[in-house]
Amino acid sequence: MDHTATLDLFDRQRRREARPEGPDSRIERIGPVVRRTGPAHAWNGILWSGLDEADADAAIAEQIRHFTAHGRAFEWKVYGHDRPADLAERLLAAGFTAEDQETLMVAEAATLPTAVELPDGVELVTVTDEAGVRRVTEVHDRAFGGDSSHIGRHLLDQLATTPDTVAAVLAMAGDEPVSAARLELYPGTDFAGLWGGGTVEPWRGKGLYRALVAFRTRIAIERGHRFVQVDAADTSRPILARLGFAALTTTTPYVYVPEGV
């Protein structure tokens, strides 16, 4: 895989030319900024920016005004190669809060395993209804801590309105959901995204994360996507590297929460 060419393709297809995800989401290009605005429980924020030192602060202020007027907290995803070089510092000065840095990792789907042996008594189940979505949020709450209800609401929206853009899977140990993950499918692009792979504490280290990657990779291939990408935390990066994913750049979410939201 040509890392530079693949990153350029990702920037174009998934950032500069991104498409709406769901009927209530809209994509706008405002000067050198591409943003997504949608329901409060969906992802709102800046997908791409082509800023320089002269226009960065004004563009940041404009996005704050836009999302504040809509009563939305929003995220500005800053990639390691974005410009200007001090974009992160400018966002912090404007009132954003930085979350944990992740690594954009990409692999050619055809090079990845599409089946992994599961522990005895565990099966993978596709999520198709509200009961399955509740189990996904239960796993995420247990695996990551916090409240994952917004993920559940967004997943329900997608399954109801644009089911061709998402696939979710649970690892079930009998009647207990022990691991869960989503596959975001971006029609018209070469990329599918792996999101939310989480396993509850007693079941970690048993190969479930790898099994969920393989399950979703198979779907991505069936749907015609060449690449799978992950915003990888430090805990998952070594596993993905062993599977054949390459690190292309870093990505850090900068979050702005308007007063009263």
Side-chain angles (χ1 to χ4, degrees):
M1 184 173 68
D2 183 325
H3 292 191
T4 300
T6 304
L7 182 57
D8 288 345
L9 184 67
F10 177 85
D11 277 343
R12 177 170 64 82
Q13 292 187 348
R14 290 292 303 119
R15 302 181 68 200
R16 295 197 303 275
E17 299 175 2
R19 302 180 182 187
E21 295 177 14
D24 298 323
S25 168
R26 74 175 186 273
I27 301 290
E28 300 171 293
R29 179 158 186 164
I30 308 299
V33 174
V34 177
R35 69 190 180 203
R36 176 183 293 135
T37 309
H41 60 266
W43 190 89
N44 287 267
I46 307 307
L47 293 160
W48 177 83
S49 63
L51 304 173
D52 58 31
E53 289 81 358
D55 61 6
D57 290 336
I60 291 168
E62 165 57 26
Q63 304 319 309
I64 291 173
R65 285 192 294 271
H66 168 78
F67 286 102
T68 298
H70 285 78
R72 299 284 187 266
F74 73 104
E75 177 183 306
W76 194 308
K77 285 180 72 72
V78 177
Y79 290 80
H81 58 294
D82 285 349
R83 294 292 178 265
D86 64 348
L87 177 58
E89 289 76 11
R90 291 171 186 262
L91 291 171
L92 293 173
F96 288 75
T97 300
E99 297 190 344
D100 292 340
Q101 184 182 88
E102 297 176 318
T103 302
L104 174 65
M105 303 188 75
V106 175
E108 293 205 43
T111 69
L112 299 176
T114 55
V116 172
E117 186 175 351
L118 292 165
D120 289 343
V122 175
E123 64 173 339
L124 300 186
V125 178
T126 302
V127 175
T128 59
D129 56 19
E130 188 172 353
V133 172
R134 283 198 300 271
R135 286 172 167 167
V136 170
T137 57
E138 175 190 334
V139 169
H140 285 351
D141 287 349
R142 292 174 62 194
F144 302 121
D147 179 4
S148 302
S149 59
H150 64 290
I151 293 174
R153 291 195 297 273
H154 185 53
L155 180 54
L156 278 173
D157 285 352
Q158 289 177 287
L159 290 172
T161 61
T162 54
D164 59 329
T165 67
V166 67
V169 58
L170 285 160
M172 300 290 298
D175 294 330
E176 180 189 5
V178 295
S179 190
R182 308 185 313 282
L183 174 69
E184 298 281 348
L185 297 150
Y186 309 115
T189 80
D190 291 290
F191 294 89
L194 306 183
W195 298 94
T199 303
V200 302
E201 181 66 41
W203 286 88
R204 292 174 186 168
K206 300 180 186 296
L208 294 182
Y209 183 87
R210 289 184 291 109
L212 295 183
V213 170
F215 185 93
R216 290 174 291 168
T217 296
R218 187 167 65 250
I219 296 172
I221 292 171
E222 291 169 354
R223 301 286 186 88
H225 296 279
R226 179 182 174 189
F227 298 105
V228 285
Q229 58 95 181
V230 187
D231 288 354
D234 289 343
T235 51
S236 54
R237 179 174 174 173
I239 303 170
L240 293 165
R242 287 194 293 272
L243 289 173
F245 283 78
L248 300 188
T249 187
T250 59
T251 177
T252 306
Y254 287 80
V255 177
Y256 188 92
V257 182
E259 254 184 79
V261 173

